[in-house]
Amino acid sequence: MSLMTGEEYIESIRRLKMEVYMFGRRVEDPVEDPILRPSLNSVRMTYDLAQLAEYEDLMTAVAPETGERINRFTHIHRSAEDLVKKVKMQRLLGQQTAACFQRCVGMDAFNAVYSTSFEVDKKYGTSYHENFKKFMFDVQRRDLTVDGAMTDPKGDRSKAPHEQEDPDLYLRVVERRADGIVVRGAKAHQTGALNSHEVIIMPTIAMKPEDRDYAVSFAVPMNTPGLFMVIGRQSCDTRKLENGDIDVGNAEFGGVEALMVFDDVFVPNERIFLNGETEFAGMLVERFAGYHRQSYGGCKVGVGDVLIGAAAVAADYNGVPRASHIRDKLIEMTHLNETLYCCGIACSAEGHPTEAGSYIIDLLLANVCKQNVTRFPYEIARLAEDIAGGVVVTAPSEADLRDEKIGPYVEKYFKAAPGVSVENRLRILRLIENLCLGTAAVGYRTESLHGAGSPQAQRVMIARQGNLPMKKALAKKIARVAE
Amino acid sequence: MSLMTGEEYIESIRRLKMEVYMFGRRVEDPVEDPILRPSLNSVRMTYDLAQLAEYEDLMTAVAPETGERINRFTHIHRSAEDLVKKVKMQRLLGQQTAACFQRCVGMDAFNAVYSTSFEVDKKYGTSYHENFKKFMFDVQRRDLTVDGAMTDPKGDRSKAPHEQEDPDLYLRVVERRADGIVVRGAKAHQTGALNSHEVIIMPTIAMKPEDRDYAVSFAVPMNTPGLFMVIGRQSCDTRKLENGDIDVGNAEFGGVEALMVFDDVFVPNERIFLNGETEFAGMLVERFAGYHRQSYGGCKVGVGDVLIGAAAVAADYNGVPRASHIRDKLIEMTHLNETLYCCGIACSAEGHPTEAGSYIIDLLLANVCKQNVTRFPYEIARLAEDIAGGVVVTAPSEADLRDEKIGPYVEKYFKAAPGVSVENRLRILRLIENLCLGTAAVGYRTESLHGAGSPQAQRVMIARQGNLPMKKALAKKIARVAE
Amino acid sequence: MSLMTGEEYIESIRRLKMEVYMFGRRVEDPVEDPILRPSLNSVRMTYDLAQLAEYEDLMTAVAPETGERINRFTHIHRSAEDLVKKVKMQRLLGQQTAACFQRCVGMDAFNAVYSTSFEVDKKYGTSYHENFKKFMFDVQRRDLTVDGAMTDPKGDRSKAPHEQEDPDLYLRVVERRADGIVVRGAKAHQTGALNSHEVIIMPTIAMKPEDRDYAVSFAVPMNTPGLFMVIGRQSCDTRKLENGDIDVGNAEFGGVEALMVFDDVFVPNERIFLNGETEFAGMLVERFAGYHRQSYGGCKVGVGDVLIGAAAVAADYNGVPRASHIRDKLIEMTHLNETLYCCGIACSAEGHPTEAGSYIIDLLLANVCKQNVTRFPYEIARLAEDIAGGVVVTAPSEADLRDEKIGPYVEKYFKAAPGVSVENRLRILRLIENLCLGTAAVGYRTESLHGAGSPQAQRVMIARQGNLPMKKALAKKIARVAE
Amino acid sequence: MSLMTGEEYIESIRRLKMEVYMFGRRVEDPVEDPILRPSLNSVRMTYDLAQLAEYEDLMTAVAPETGERINRFTHIHRSAEDLVKKVKMQRLLGQQTAACFQRCVGMDAFNAVYSTSFEVDKKYGTSYHENFKKFMFDVQRRDLTVDGAMTDPKGDRSKAPHEQEDPDLYLRVVERRADGIVVRGAKAHQTGALNSHEVIIMPTIAMKPEDRDYAVSFAVPMNTPGLFMVIGRQSCDTRKLENGDIDVGNAEFGGVEALMVFDDVFVPNERIFLNGETEFAGMLVERFAGYHRQSYGGCKVGVGDVLIGAAAVAADYNGVPRASHIRDKLIEMTHLNETLYCCGIACSAEGHPTEAGSYIIDLLLANVCKQNVTRFPYEIARLAEDIAGGVVVTAPSEADLRDEKIGPYVEKYFKAAPGVSVENRLRILRLIENLCLGTAAVGYRTESLHGAGSPQAQRVMIARQGNLPMKKALAKKIARVAE
């Protein structure tokens, strides 16, 4: 059976007993930790929806090698249509969680490693692609969540990996054995690692021969000895420790990032997908980044849908839904959000096959997609705060609302449109706060900037893919320039 | 034979001897008029490229009813792939002409009338769809260029058609005969009418029963008695009357708009596609506008490619191609231009079948596409002027360059990067001027704003198609609002 | 003696023993509450700097009536130069606190009431201006901090005050006695009320005769019986309850907002500045809003300076200060920030005398100033997050850094530019987080939107003050239009 | 008498009989040339308004050395108030001409040379300042218009002046005589040179000792032997040769740019203000650029006022002045325009004295001012085109309107709001076309980008003046960073 239920997923993660640290302490049971649990719930949604007939077409796919129906997150894209469905699945999940559901990095790593390992093997006669396929079938069969880990700490940005004072600032092979390798280093900003069964490691930049020990890709289970995580703080993270479910804004779902440390971790040979073939590091980075930049044209659009909806409800609750400036701001939010969606769809529909037969997005358009994602969610959030009104940052706590003495004053003075309960008004305001300034803003704003590569990384790719020589030739022809 | 050569096209237009006025005089031979000819050359490109094997897939299609290969401009879209190819064909033509090639309005009218007439017939048992198909087969067989005319003068915007003081300010039926109708009125801003064999007339707004005489759609040849045109002025139009080919910027290609007057024109019954079924006026408008808003995600992107190329050449010629701010501006131009393309592709790839079996774009995304087109070309043009430098508006005339006494000073003092001829530098600067301020700016800037509907028209559609109730429900669920 | 020391100020506030609620409980000693204390420290800075000779010119003024040197926050502006100095003082304080220092609302209320009460008296022979001056002299002599409270809860926005279902949703007179009035209602979003000795109440909108009971302005001490506050939640507010001083970002300074409830509060006659003269409500609102919109061209610019500095340090610490795109983003941030400053200075330099002899800003330019403040801080914050890198939202807690086991890994893997301590890197990142997403984001972002009136309020004023008829006349003259 | 009438000014220019070339021919009488005359009329306005009592305060000043009332364009600023009045005068003239009135460059050159020459003399004991003052008194007494010429052709941008293949690509001293110097070279983009009596030459970049021959500043009359001009083409320039006064948009006023060639021109010693003191070239450039960047915060705002007015009239004439989106666009245009004005006012109000006693603007804010001018007019123009409607680029010619046969159709079908004549509607549309795409767009758009230095030049200055070290220190203090 290839599809786990949400409950089975939760239990499977619980059984892993990963090594997780937060606030200077080991988290004994990450699955039940109130700060971490919402992020688990978000991943769970990728399992829950896959159980529903109405979403079968989006949430699942049939693996061509086995004929089995698998979760689309473990699928290798076989057509442009697959790429389009990926984006639609992501929008759906963004809509249902209003958060980062984390499972995309693994899917994008899957597709990047699949096609790259094929080309490495073709050149070097290695068996990385076979290794990967074996791993892949296992993941598909067991319906695992896989993290994809790329970003190294990078230390001094002006130096190559092998030039760093501390050689571990890029993850590297520290020992080569007959049965495998031992690696040391860390991966930063790891979204969803905490909620994954496995992790695929990839290099973070194009490399030269001197960086041979750093050109390494492999997969290990998340409970491998020597692997542990330090959870990153999020704005408003500790609100989840409070009583009540209003002030958190989104009581059920969230995201999470961690520093993942590899403290001399052993990787057996059959789990290695790249090992020293430095000239393929760049290809792997470019493909993973490309797929992941496409992803943002789906997931963030879904979250944007919730924020637009929340702003519209706030306008209703404030009693001003028909003011022309409010309507115009909702239109602008929609326009910006759908522009992102257009980019996600377009880079997918323009996808093309790789040498391995899998499908890859149009790289130029995927980078254009992500570049817009570094801008528009900020403006959408600004407009949401505009529509919500200042009360979004000055409203009292749920404890005040519930208090015997203060509660009635809160009920009296936060009353707005007739028939709207103050509690509901506060709920919507807190959701907007959550997305614009709180835990979800980490995912909706800052991650939109830096996830899948910071803005400048996309600009470099746009320059590279923009085919300026062809455009110059067009202009010279029209202007009758003869050189 | 379904495909005319460019030369045959020119001759076929010449034979029509249309009634055209400009500067208060009748233009005796529009085909040879130096102000009008460049616009004819642009349309000709749609014939020339269709002759080339390398563009067969984009420029032509096979009509399913006849199995004949026809020009794509006369094709009814039968798949999302057809819609995508349309956009790619338009980008190609924008690249080749750096101008408006005009034939799109007819293609978009074709597709709008095709599906709408089907639905009218279905409701009323009329034979508009058959009428249209007969007309269509003729157009496909003879490879004609068809104009699509929608925009009425509209007079007092606060009044419906039948309420206007002058009832002719919307085109209307003034007489009904056994064999047809007589119409009076005008269509404004008619792009390419001048270079078309036929014109399809459509109403310009949704209508109520009182506007029955205005809910009319039909086709007539452009040389029908009573039909004449008054050419609109363009910035720098008369530069085309000067000697030389530098100062015009784009000596070969251009666009054109005209007021088209119907001074009691007879339309035979078999050429009528709508006649009084007022509730279908809105559908026809919405579909035509939708298709045409998609179009802008192709043609303007192609023109943008030329402008980006011209700016890059200008930077080369100025000797500063490596300055980081120049490179960054070229990246930004590319990014904006490709964002438009994403929108064009996405609304196409998300197309779906109509009741008549033809394919129509995703309306929301097509409106998002056009809304971006009302903004980005302006910023692309600003960046082009930035890169070009002030010399783009202060350079001397070609006559100065050619003059025996002044020429050497121009050669001396407009010298920039080593090895670049001053003439070539002027050529590229004039092309940029042409696109940013000159005749082509009419198409690249103002038409990008208002063509296929002014910005506010798209905003109304985005509001209507944005599904705010669904988004509100998503937000309420996440925020645990119970109403 | 007119100038208190910072320490004296703190003690004077402590003595007031205001009634303050937070998280459903009364705060016994607001002065020592860790969540509230930073906001007190910010106000304290207005006292501390006034003690320093180098800031005497900005921080203090000489009251013309008494010849006493007073804190500028209690001063009535007597010249355009005074208005300019106000803005410079605000920028200074923004720079020193990176937070809202709260004392401006009182200063702006002072100046609005001063000139408006003069004009009311002139029309009605009332003695509001004398009342106010008596109050003012007392404030100046005792160097008090005064809150200015305008925003009513407003309930159903489609109804006037007297039409509300609950008549208390705008603050109103519920009883008129020989010696004064009794008022009931609330004021929302009260910045700094908590740290003020006195509060000036003003109506929140222009009013008609039917709203007579709502057209009321007066001052009461903050510990007046019946007056209490409910503190609004801020993003990350409870981080201040944690150990350590890194994760809060700004350990010393902050802002605060509260709902201020008037539960049948008595106001003696000599403290009343408006009482039923409804036609002056609009003037008072417009003037207070005008002064307060000017203020944002000072304080937010100062906070922006800190954020720009923090982003520049983050770039240094990341080791990339010379990357051209980083430099360009710092330039853009500076450009936007100084544009705001230009607006603050310009509306001040163009100030003019009121009938009372005090100076008021140019209303059009003050509204333009604030309108820009609703936009640029968001873009500055986005650019700061861009420069800081994703680590700004994924860095571990101070507890992790300090932990014996985890600390060394944090030290190892968050090392960036050579010679930079990880602690310092985290400190700067947390400051950026604080300003972009944390407690200070409430002031720097959302308050920039809504404080002193939401964006649409400024647009209404810009429309009203923009003198379109004059501009139309200019255009008609140039175009030789004769009507 | 220090003030000429407009008529006297025209005659004084006519008498100069300058050597002017256009379209490869010498212009025999530039004053009567229909293409050039509008630019002369714009300068004339600086004389006409100075005759009117109501503008005396803005248009004139009293020279402190002589006590004579002089035109402000020949004045040395003696206070921040003078700087503010300069900006207001420029806005007034922009409003009256809707064009570039050209006399500012001379005023800005005056003030830059005045203070710089003082500092050169102080260091070197030269007598440039005396030379300049003698020249200045003469200009003030005779009320002359002076051009300020800075921009050299610059050839290969990667090379210093003395390194150019053709040494004349920066203007230079080719011969030194006892009584003066002989100079050769050219100045590009010379706004208003054609309509000036005198020209002040300045170097265009900071220089090193090797560029000694290029570090030269002086003044000569515009009819000096060896000095001639080649007029630059403008969009729509030849429309001024047509009959009628509608299609030109602005029949009376315009701007002009020319290449000014110095073909071995002799300059007597007493007219020299810098001659080889290379280290002062940068100061002169920076000051002139600073003053001139301030100027744009006045003149372009005035032109913007006309464009806003024209758009508002177009909305009236289209019959849609109350549509909320139209009103909102007019507000946005006003907001952007007044933001520019704020910058112009602020850099003036923050002016400070130079060593010579004259006043100079705040350099940072002046650069911020100009940087905004490189952006906002483009958006204002876009919004104007939006409001005007597509008819702004498709309307027929005046000849059509006047034609016996076609005219009635134009009258019939271009009728819009009741009671508005079609002629007036066309007049306003043509004015908008003129400012957005036509001759005036050269000044309002492209010159706003490049005049007084291209955008990147301002960014370099903003970086230099932005005091990043101070801002970093602020951030470190707040974040408690101890290094």
Side-chain angles (χ1 to χ4, degrees), chain A residues 409 412-413, chain C residues 149 152 167-177 179-187 199-203 212-221 224-228 260-269 271-276:
Chain A
Y409 289 98
K412 178 180 176 75
Y413 288 119
Chain C
D152 293 277
D168 303 340
L169 284 171
Y170 287 75
L171 189 144
R172 64 182 180 125
V173 179
V174 289
E175 190 188 343
R176 294 174 192 278
R177 300 188 198 161
D179 56 347
I181 55 179
V182 176
V183 298
R184 188 188 304 151
K187 292 288 182 179
V199 57
I200 295 175
I201 297 300
M202 296 165 285
R212 188 174 169 275
D213 289 341
Y214 297 88
V216 61
S217 178
F218 58 85
V220 288
T224 298
L227 192 169
F228 66 89
M260 190 190 289
V261 178
F262 287 79
D263 212 20
D264 291 358
V265 169
F266 175 71
V267 184
N269 285 331
R271 284 296 196 97
I272 298 176
F273 314 136
L274 187 76
N275 189 358

Side-chain angles (χ1 to χ4, degrees), chain D residues 31-327:
Chain D
V31 165
E32 296 305 328
D33 184 273
I35 286 182
L36 302 176
R37 181 57 186 252
S39 72
L40 188 69
N41 291 341
S42 298
V43 183
R44 178 190 167 138
M45 190 60 90
T46 70
Y47 291 90
D48 285 342
L49 293 188
Q51 299 283 331
L52 302 179
E54 65 183 298
Y55 297 127
E56 184 184 82
D57 184 51
L58 285 190
M59 294 298 308
T60 70
V62 173
E65 300 91 343
T66 63
E68 283 270 359
R69 185 158 289 278
I70 58 175
N71 193 298
R72 185 173 295 280
F73 280 98
T74 68
H75 183 53
I76 299 298
H77 315 297
R78 308 290 179 170
S79 64
E81 199 190 350
D82 263 354
L83 291 166
V84 168
K85 283 184 181 168
K86 171 191 160 183
V87 169
K88 292 184 174 178
M89 170 180 73
Q90 291 170 314
R91 184 170 186 170
L92 170 68
L93 282 158
Q95 291 175 336
Q96 297 297 321
T97 59
C100 174
F101 39 89
Q102 310 148 52
R103 207 173 168 185
C104 309
V105 276
M107 168 173 51
D108 294 335
F110 247 55
N111 278 276
V113 172
Y114 183 89
S115 64
T116 303
S117 63
F118 181 91
E119 296 184 39
V120 183
D121 287 2
K122 194 175 141 194
K123 176 161 182 191
Y124 286 106
T126 42
S127 57
Y128 298 141
H129 192 60
E130 279 317 301
N131 286 356
F132 179 74
K133 279 169 68 175
K134 208 177 125 202
F135 169 67
M136 178 185 84
F137 290 136
D138 182 51
V139 165
Q140 290 175 341
R141 190 177 49 78
R142 295 166 58 207
D143 198 11
L144 302 182
T145 289
V146 180
D147 183 40
M150 179 165 278
T151 310
D152 294 276
K154 293 202 285 278
D156 184 345
R157 268 76 175 160
S158 67
K159 292 200 165 76
H162 74 279
E163 296 169 336
Q164 298 285 328
E165 203 178 321
D166 176 349
D168 303 340
L169 285 171
Y170 287 75
L171 189 145
R172 65 183 179 124
V173 179
V174 290
E175 190 187 344
R176 294 174 193 280
R177 299 188 197 162
D179 56 345
I181 54 177
V182 177
V183 298
R184 189 188 304 150
K187 292 289 181 178
H189 322 309
Q190 285 311 301
T191 301
L194 183 75
N195 304 316
S196 300
H197 305 90
E198 297 271 346
V199 58
I200 295 175
I201 296 301
M202 297 166 285
T204 198
I205 50 168
M207 288 173 178
K208 300 225 169 112
E210 298 78 14
D211 290 320
R212 187 173 170 276
D213 289 342
Y214 297 88
V216 62
S217 177
F218 58 85
V220 289
M222 281 299 299
N223 60 351
T224 299
L227 191 170
F228 65 89
M229 280 169 280
V230 185
I231 301 298
R233 291 213 70 169
Q234 296 187 328
S235 172
C236 299
D237 44 13
T238 55
R239 274 205 200 171
K240 288 179 279 191
L241 302 176
E242 300 174 7
N243 290 326
D245 70 343
I246 296 180
D247 291 2
V248 288
N250 183 346
E252 183 143 2
F253 304 106
V256 71
E257 287 83 25
L259 177 77
M260 190 190 288
V261 178
F262 288 77
D263 212 20
D264 292 357
V265 168
F266 175 72
V267 183
N269 284 332
E270 67 271 21
R271 285 295 196 96
I272 298 176
F273 314 137
L274 187 77
N275 188 359
E277 296 79 6
T278 47
E279 78 273 35
F280 284 95
M283 178 188 288
L284 192 46
V285 170
E286 191 173 284
R287 291 191 180 174
F288 171 74
Y291 281 121
H292 208 44
R293 288 166 194 177
Q294 168 207 27
S295 289
Y296 279 61
C299 64
K300 300 305 180 199
V301 178
V303 178
D305 286 331
V306 178
L307 185 51
I308 294 166
V313 174
D316 290 348
Y317 286 1
N318 286 343
V320 292
R322 291 186 191 291
S324 67
H325 73 97
I326 295 289
R327 290 162 62 99

Side-chain angles (χ1 to χ4, degrees), chain A residues 92-293:
Chain A
L92 170 67
L93 282 159
Q95 290 176 337
Q96 296 297 322
T97 59
C100 174
F101 40 90
Q102 311 148 52
R103 206 172 169 187
C104 310
V105 275
M107 168 173 51
D108 294 335
F110 247 55
N111 278 277
V113 173
Y114 183 89
S115 64
T116 303
S117 62
F118 181 92
E119 297 185 36
V120 183
D121 287 2
K122 193 175 140 196
K123 177 161 182 189
Y124 286 107
T126 43
S127 58
Y128 299 141
H129 191 61
E130 280 316 301
N131 286 356
F132 179 74
K133 278 169 69 176
K134 209 176 121 203
F135 169 69
M136 178 185 85
F137 290 137
D138 183 53
V139 165
Q140 289 175 342
R141 191 179 47 80
R142 297 166 56 210
D143 198 10
L144 303 181
T145 289
V146 181
D147 183 39
M150 180 165 276
T151 311
D152 294 276
K154 294 201 286 276
D156 183 344
R157 269 77 175 158
S158 67
K159 292 201 165 75
H162 74 280
E163 297 169 337
Q164 297 286 329
E165 203 177 323
D166 177 348
D168 304 339
L169 285 171
Y170 286 76
L171 189 143
R172 65 182 178 126
V173 178
V174 289
E175 190 187 342
R176 294 173 194 278
R177 300 187 199 163
D179 56 346
I181 54 177
V182 176
V183 298
R184 190 188 301 150
K187 292 288 181 178
H189 322 310
Q190 283 312 300
T191 300
L194 182 71
N195 304 316
S196 301
H197 305 89
E198 297 272 346
V199 57
I200 295 174
I201 297 300
M202 297 164 285
T204 199
I205 51 168
M207 289 174 177
K208 300 226 170 110
E210 297 78 14
D211 291 320
R212 188 174 168 276
D213 290 342
Y214 298 89
V216 62
S217 177
F218 58 85
V220 289
M222 281 302 299
N223 60 352
T224 298
L227 192 169
F228 66 89
M229 281 169 280
V230 185
I231 301 297
R233 291 213 70 170
Q234 295 187 330
S235 172
C236 298
D237 43 14
T238 55
R239 274 205 199 172
K240 288 178 279 190
L241 303 176
E242 301 174 7
N243 291 325
D245 71 341
I246 297 180
D247 291 3
V248 288
N250 183 347
E252 183 142 4
F253 304 107
V256 71
E257 286 83 26
L259 178 76
M260 188 190 290
V261 178
F262 288 77
D263 212 20
D264 292 357
V265 168
F266 174 72
V267 184
N269 284 332
E270 67 270 21
R271 284 298 196 97
I272 298 177
F273 314 136
L274 188 76
N275 188 0
E277 297 78 5
T278 46
E279 77 273 35
F280 284 94
M283 179 190 286
L284 192 46
V285 171
E286 191 173 286
R287 290 191 182 173
F288 171 74
Y291 281 120
H292 208 42
R293 287 167 194 176

